[in-house]
Amino acid sequence: MTEIKDKSIENYLDELASKAATPGGGSAAALLGAQSAALTSMVCNLTIGKPKYIEVEDDMRALLARAESLRTTLTNMIKADVDVFNQLMAAYGLVKVTEQEKKARSQQIQTVLREATLVPLACAKACAEAVELSQQAADKGNLNVISDAGVAVMSAYAGLKSAALNVYINTASLKDGPFAEEKLAELELILNGADIKAEEIYQLVKNKL
Amino acid sequence: MTEIKDKSIENYLDELASKAATPGGGSAAALLGAQSAALTSMVCNLTIGKPKYIEVEDDMRALLARAESLRTTLTNMIKADVDVFNQLMAAYGLVKVTEQEKKARSQQIQTVLREATLVPLACAKACAEAVELSQQAADKGNLNVISDAGVAVMSAYAGLKSAALNVYINTASLKDGPFAEEKLAELELILNGADIKAEEIYQLVKNKL
């Protein structure tokens, strides 16, 4: 089967809109983050080598390396969401006739639910990093393309909030309370102040236009 | 040349990240809106036909039709941004040796700048409509996929704020003050309260998880 990242944008949107269970919001969240990282890279690529921006050239090169690495991570997460969803469906589909089968099925569901919590949590973390990187692009990037840093921050913030929803859903079904609480606490740390930071970066960009 | 929507997601992200001027934030904004409409359609498609949601079936069918129409509009806007950018670059590239050439070039730039204002303004309007549609999906959609309505609202809101940046940029270069002011006023009407509405829809979804 063709991986989502190898499908055309139009095909991806068609499949997203369809009644097929995947791709869904989890993949969309990862794409939001990947798009943000790509836009930060664009700002770097259009700043590096310009005499006017020679003073920030080293910073822009370092930022570009981080943004490109993050873009790879987030692009891979488009697929990770589909994979863990399929694993979850497979677990729910296990036979449950005997008591032993019921127990095995329940255990497998819980095992996969942990993974289904960790995948969007990692996506949320990566999107939060994309917000940070967009701030550097907004701070130091070429003014001619500074609006792209503004699109980068909005896309990353949307990815962060979107990924958070999938963490909420999957922790709600977890029977391991302490694990669920720990992961929700990690998520809250990531979300804490992200709305204000995103708005600040957006205003920084807007004021430079 | 292959249209962006026909390129793979990975190729799109590669080109977005590159130093090529297009695709840029304007296309990314349109994709954010298109992704939102697709997610609203997904919620509709997974609500229609379910006995539990028979009471909202007509509403969901009407919403699906609007979301799919809007998705087409926004998908076409991915290309519209590239087209108007290329027209603007062509206008700036016109010869400007004689006074007559200078005047003709300046007039052509202003003509294209009007278009370069209208294109992102239309994108902002379409993204604002995508926010509205996501609200209906969040209100009445199948609870099993309600988080996708939450991703839809965040994606649309990011598209709206992103498109707005391109309206600000291009109106700033317009010499026709009344036209620029009129379009900025239209944009402010669209933006007015959108942040609060987006957050309300997100919280509505979160409370249903």
Side-chain angles (χ1 to χ4, degrees), chain B residues 70-138:
Chain B
L70 186 62
R71 178 158 75 93
T72 301
T73 300
L74 279 157
T75 302
N76 289 335
M77 285 178 177
I78 299 173
K79 181 175 182 291
D81 182 78
V82 175
D83 290 344
V84 78
F85 180 87
N86 289 338
Q87 283 170 38
L88 201 54
M89 289 304 102
Y92 279 112
L94 289 173
V95 286
K96 47 173 180 173
V97 180
T98 68
E99 281 309 308
Q100 204 179 350
E101 283 169 349
K102 282 180 190 170
K103 196 178 166 194
R105 174 177 174 274
S106 176
Q107 279 179 347
Q108 179 60 14
I109 289 170
Q110 289 300 314
T111 300
V112 181
L113 273 174
R114 292 169 78 97
E115 190 61 22
T117 298
L118 295 174
V119 165
L121 183 60
C123 182
K125 272 184 198 162
C127 286
E129 190 182 345
V131 170
E132 300 282 346
L133 300 192
S134 74
Q135 183 168 26
Q136 293 184 47

Side-chain angles (χ1 to χ4, degrees), chain A residues 5 7-10 12-14 16-17 19 25 32 35 38 42 45-46 71 147-148 161 169 202, chain B residues 5 7-10 12-14 16-17 19 25 32 35 38 42 45-46 71 147-148 158 161 169 202:
Chain A
K5 70 180 173 64
K7 291 182 180 176
S8 76
I9 286 178
E10 191 159 47
Y12 160 72
L13 292 172
D14 284 344
L16 192 62
K19 65 194 302 177
L32 287 166
Q35 179 170 271
M42 181 190 183
N45 278 320
L46 286 162
R71 178 158 74 94
S147 68
D148 293 306
K161 297 278 280 186
I169 292 170
Y202 184 84
Chain B
K5 71 179 173 63
K7 291 182 180 176
S8 76
I9 286 178
E10 191 160 47
Y12 160 71
L13 292 172
D14 284 345
L16 192 62
K19 66 194 302 178
L32 287 166
Q35 179 169 270
M42 180 190 183
N45 278 320
L46 286 162
R71 178 158 75 93
S147 68
D148 293 306
K161 296 278 280 186
I169 292 170
Y202 185 85

Side-chain angles (χ1 to χ4, degrees), chain A residues 13-209:
Chain A
L13 292 172
D14 284 344
E15 293 183 11
L16 192 62
S18 77
K19 65 194 302 177
T22 61
S27 293
L31 177 55
L32 287 166
Q35 179 170 271
S36 171
L39 285 159
T40 291
S41 292
M42 181 190 183
V43 175
C44 294
N45 278 320
L46 286 162
T47 305
I48 293 166
K50 308 277 185 200
K52 191 176 167 188
Y53 295 95
I54 188 74
E55 284 191 10
V56 296
E57 176 133 346
D58 287 349
D59 293 341
M60 286 288 115
R61 285 191 189 280
L63 178 59
L64 176 61
R66 284 185 66 190
E68 285 300 277
S69 166
L70 186 62
R71 178 158 74 94
T72 301
T73 300
L74 279 157
T75 302
N76 289 334
M77 285 178 177
I78 299 173
K79 181 176 182 291
D81 182 78
V82 175
D83 290 344
V84 78
F85 180 87
N86 289 338
Q87 284 169 39
L88 201 55
M89 289 304 101
Y92 278 112
L94 289 173
V95 286
K96 47 173 180 174
V97 180
T98 68
E99 280 309 307
Q100 204 179 350
E101 283 168 351
K102 282 181 189 169
K103 195 178 167 194
R105 174 177 173 274
S106 175
Q107 278 178 347
Q108 179 61 13
I109 289 170
Q110 289 299 314
T111 300
V112 181
L113 273 174
R114 291 169 79 98
E115 190 62 21
T117 297
L118 295 174
V119 165
L121 183 60
C123 182
K125 272 184 197 161
C127 286
E129 190 181 344
V131 170
E132 299 283 346
L133 300 191
S134 74
Q135 184 168 27
Q136 293 183 48
D139 261 341
K140 301 174 182 170
N142 184 338
L143 287 176
N144 290 338
V145 288
I146 207 69
S147 68
D148 293 306
V151 181
V153 70
M154 293 311 300
S155 197
Y157 180 65
L160 168 54
K161 297 278 280 186
S162 298
L165 294 174
N166 280 340
V167 177
Y168 297 136
I169 292 170
N170 292 318
T171 47
S173 303
L174 275 169
K175 288 182 181 164
D176 181 349
F179 175 83
E181 278 168 35
E182 184 189 311
K183 296 308 155 191
L184 283 172
E186 282 182 36
L187 178 64
E188 287 316 307
L189 262 181
I190 296 166
L191 286 170
N192 190 25
D195 52 346
I196 294 167
K197 176 171 281 181
E199 184 59 24
E200 280 175 358
I201 300 169
Y202 184 84
Q203 290 301 328
L204 168 66
V205 167
K206 195 182 160 191
N207 291 334
K208 285 186 171 189
L209 297 180

